[in-house]
Amino acid sequence: MTENPLITLTTDFGLQDGYVGIIKGVIAGIAPHARMIDLNHQISPQNLYAGRFILLNAYQYFPQGTIHLAVIDPGVGGNRRGVAIRFAGGYLVGPDNGLFSGILSQYPALAAVNLNNPTYWRTAHPSTTFHGRDIFAAVAAHLAQGVPLEMLGEIIDPDSLQQLAIAPPVIGEDKITGQIQYIDIFGNLITNIPEYLLQGKKWSVQLVQKIIPAQNTYSDVPSGEIVAFIGSHGGLEIAINRGSAQKQLQLNNGDAIEVIINRQNVTALDQ
Amino acid sequence: MTENPLITLTTDFGLQDGYVGIIKGVIAGIAPHARMIDLNHQISPQNLYAGRFILLNAYQYFPQGTIHLAVIDPGVGGNRRGVAIRFAGGYLVGPDNGLFSGILSQYPALAAVNLNNPTYWRTAHPSTTFHGRDIFAAVAAHLAQGVPLEMLGEIIDPDSLQQLAIAPPVIGEDKITGQIQYIDIFGNLITNIPEYLLQGKKWSVQLVQKIIPAQNTYSDVPSGEIVAFIGSHGGLEIAINRGSAQKQLQLNNGDAIEVIINRQNVTALDQ
Amino acid sequence: MTENPLITLTTDFGLQDGYVGIIKGVIAGIAPHARMIDLNHQISPQNLYAGRFILLNAYQYFPQGTIHLAVIDPGVGGNRRGVAIRFAGGYLVGPDNGLFSGILSQYPALAAVNLNNPTYWRTAHPSTTFHGRDIFAAVAAHLAQGVPLEMLGEIIDPDSLQQLAIAPPVIGEDKITGQIQYIDIFGNLITNIPEYLLQGKKWSVQLVQKIIPAQNTYSDVPSGEIVAFIGSHGGLEIAINRGSAQKQLQLNNGDAIEVIINRQNVTALDQ
């Protein structure tokens, strides 16, 4: 373990109760030198897809060995397993419900355990409703203290980990049909169409009767205009310069986005 | 003092102004090695009862010696005292208005001082409206640096500390009537009925004409159904599996909750 | 550089996406010993004036040498420069759009550079839309690691830095007309009238037909009453004791506030 191990926290607990602070108290008690960084606590309650997206888009910016603790846990106290996973970038700790399947689609699990060893829990009698406090926080802190993954519970087959699948974009002859997979606080529409499908090509986005040509950034268009570009997440993003694309275009998560490839931009009249 | 003293912060300052950051700047300037953990900054303005609840439910998860700084302070600049308190778990710093009376109902104050020694304030001329910055943050940081409690001001009788009383549940022959004392972000209804009143008994919750039997966790009932269990706060909680009990049941803080003890569950028809 | 350099973060990214966590990941990767303190991430999108105000009112509470990283960046990817600035209190890192002009109106820039040296970026191919992650976070972290300012890019004339001007109050014979420049979460109206204009004088605020005499703090008036005083920001503030002045008075940012100086308080009838 590193001198100052790093633990990120991702939950749907919000910040208006004391739950996040309590989790940090448990970690600080076990791993006094661990640094903690909040990734996101305002994921909409029990939204596993948003948690998967946040983790997938953040993990690569953290140093090697970082422990990512994530607790979006609608099945807490039921049959779902708690897991700790080693992957090339570090460790993942949380419920086995697909939260980590985005990261693991890029870097497969090197090892995984079912967190059934109470030695590394906060208490041998965990609450049935707050495993974040009683199991996951304690386990992440023990990992930060150098406890080997294999001590934390029974070794399991990484292939048995739950998956949350995202439908890939559909690639046609001269168009790609993807969908909006996340909308950020600015109202930017983030699609599931990755950069490599568009790289080196002339492309534009077709929105109803409007053609939005490929640009590089917000300010390539005047204020209030629609702009399409490869965003900081590494895929197609649709935005309004200094405005909210979500509000102005009335589009939502899951809505289809059509990209036209290698064709002259045409107006409705030309067709 | 420990090598890396820990200070928690609880305020009603919200996160959209700079107040919390400023308090942390003052602490970092005096106690460069202190670690700071946010407990909650989104308590509704001047809601002492919510602050008392958050502190009461969090303190036990922090390591011995932790300094809990809390600033919900409707009387700032007036007659109310500022206090620092030693208790079995560590230290409490803030206005003397009952914020700490929940913690102190479990672990009595071992010593208390009136913060009237300007040596340990940020400035000898504190603002009349922001003692969090000018007095409490500085005092918490000096405690973290090892200044003895007794140096911070005049010793006072712990019995003179303000109390915020919570009405206890009313215990009848075969029922207990408590009330909702906190509603969290998930809409879970947290009552003032502690686990020990229900332990080892057969119990259920009576909601209007509906009987809600005792369960262990959310997923013991189907999605959308009401569930009652001993929650992670150590008392009776009423929730909706994957939903909001507050919204669905239209119940609020202070509403009565009736628990039936040691009786067969009956349906409305049987009665 | 100090042993545990301190970096503050001010953005309009909000907390419901992963952007702030990602920035902290980049910093932690480069400067493992840096401490990070959030100043504010809930500035309304692209509101440079609010960012300027938050920074101006916070910087003086942080220890000497603190690095203030601020990313409110409507012009990202366009022509605006990225800058790092040394001033008496420490360092400023962010877009050159006037965010820092409040601080620099009190302590002028000692040196400034245009951040055009990719050696100290996260990547030589930064995203066009997230310089906070790819340039500013990395630069702040390298400053924290002791890289001299002058290495970070081409030295520029501090006089060339963008300004965001705030109209000063208008001083008449027996009145001062200022304006509301910020409204905090409590609904307190913070004006641009600094304490020194009122010091040693008898003053009151005229609101339509009402005269609000100078007081010291909220609780100098009964609950629900209007109160005017020199606030913790060092200027005239108008509030409602235990209420919201914004809601009750229906005033907003930019609205004029009139202060009457050295005159007997008069009622409408007397005039």
Side-chain angles (χ1 to χ4, degrees), chain B residues 21 26 47 51 60 130 157 162 171 188 215 228 231 242 256 260-261:
Chain B
V26 172
N47 187 338
Q60 60 191 292
F130 195 2
D157 180 355
Q162 292 293 313
I171 303 170
N188 298 330
Q215 303 283 6
R242 308 196 183 211
I260 304 167
I261 301 281

Side-chain angles (χ1 to χ4, degrees), chain B residues 82-224:
Chain B
V83 289
I85 301 165
R86 184 166 50 230
F87 78 113
Y91 295 89
L92 309 170
V93 177
D96 178 23
N97 58 19
L99 266 182
F100 303 121
S101 59
I103 294 178
L104 297 177
S105 73
Q106 299 197 344
Y107 288 93
L110 301 176
V113 294
N114 179 6
L115 299 174
N116 58 5
N117 183 353
T119 310
Y120 298 104
W121 299 355
R122 190 186 67 82
T123 160
H125 302 284
S127 148
T128 49
T129 54
F130 195 2
H131 288 186
R133 177 190 71 193
D134 293 339
I135 299 181
F136 301 129
V139 161
H142 284 298
L143 272 176
Q145 288 295 90
V147 171
L149 183 88
E150 289 71 14
M151 303 279 286
L152 300 171
E154 179 190 14
I155 293 173
I156 58 176
D157 180 355
D159 287 343
S160 73
L161 293 167
Q162 292 293 313
Q163 301 291 320
L164 274 184
I166 302 286
V170 177
I171 303 170
E173 203 174 324
D174 58 1
K175 74 176 182 183
I176 298 172
T177 307
Q179 60 180 50
I180 300 170
Q181 65 166 323
Y182 190 81
I183 301 178
D184 72 11
I185 194 180
F186 299 99
N188 298 330
L189 311 173
I190 297 161
T191 74
N192 66 342
I193 302 175
E195 181 172 20
Y196 71 84
L197 288 182
L198 304 179
Q199 222 155 18
K201 295 185 180 141
K202 178 170 173 54
W203 60 269
S204 54
V205 174
Q206 170 125 31
L207 285 178
V208 198
Q209 300 248 337
K210 231 172 173 163
I211 302 283
I212 314 299
Q215 303 283 6
N216 287 314
T217 189
Y218 306 108
S219 54
D220 287 342
V221 301
S223 277

Side-chain angles (χ1 to χ4, degrees), chain A residues 12-22 24-29 31-34 36 38 41-42 45-46 73-79 122 127-130 133-134, chain B residues 3-4 6 15 35 37-43 54 57-63 182-186 188 190 216-220 229-233 237 241-243:
Chain A
D12 60 353
F13 295 165
L15 297 172
Q16 72 231 52
D17 301 311
Y19 299 127
V20 172
I22 287 171
K24 292 180 178 172
V26 172
I27 292 173
H33 296 287
M36 297 178 242
D38 296 309
H41 297 294
Q42 299 189 329
Q46 314 185 339
D73 197 7
V76 63
N79 288 328
R122 190 186 68 82
S127 148
T128 49
T129 55
F130 196 1
R133 178 189 73 193
D134 293 339
Chain B
E3 184 193 355
N4 283 99
L6 190 57
L15 296 172
R35 291 166 295 148
I37 291 182
D38 296 309
L39 219 45
N40 195 318
H41 298 294
Q42 299 189 329
I43 287 170
I54 290 291
N57 283 285
Y59 82 93
Q60 60 191 292
Y61 301 104
F62 284 84
Y182 190 81
I183 301 178
D184 72 11
I185 194 180
F186 299 99
N188 298 330
I190 297 161
N216 287 314
T217 189
Y218 306 108
S219 54
D220 287 342
F229 54 89
I230 301 302
S232 63
H233 297 88
E237 224 171 297
N241 186 21
R242 308 196 183 211

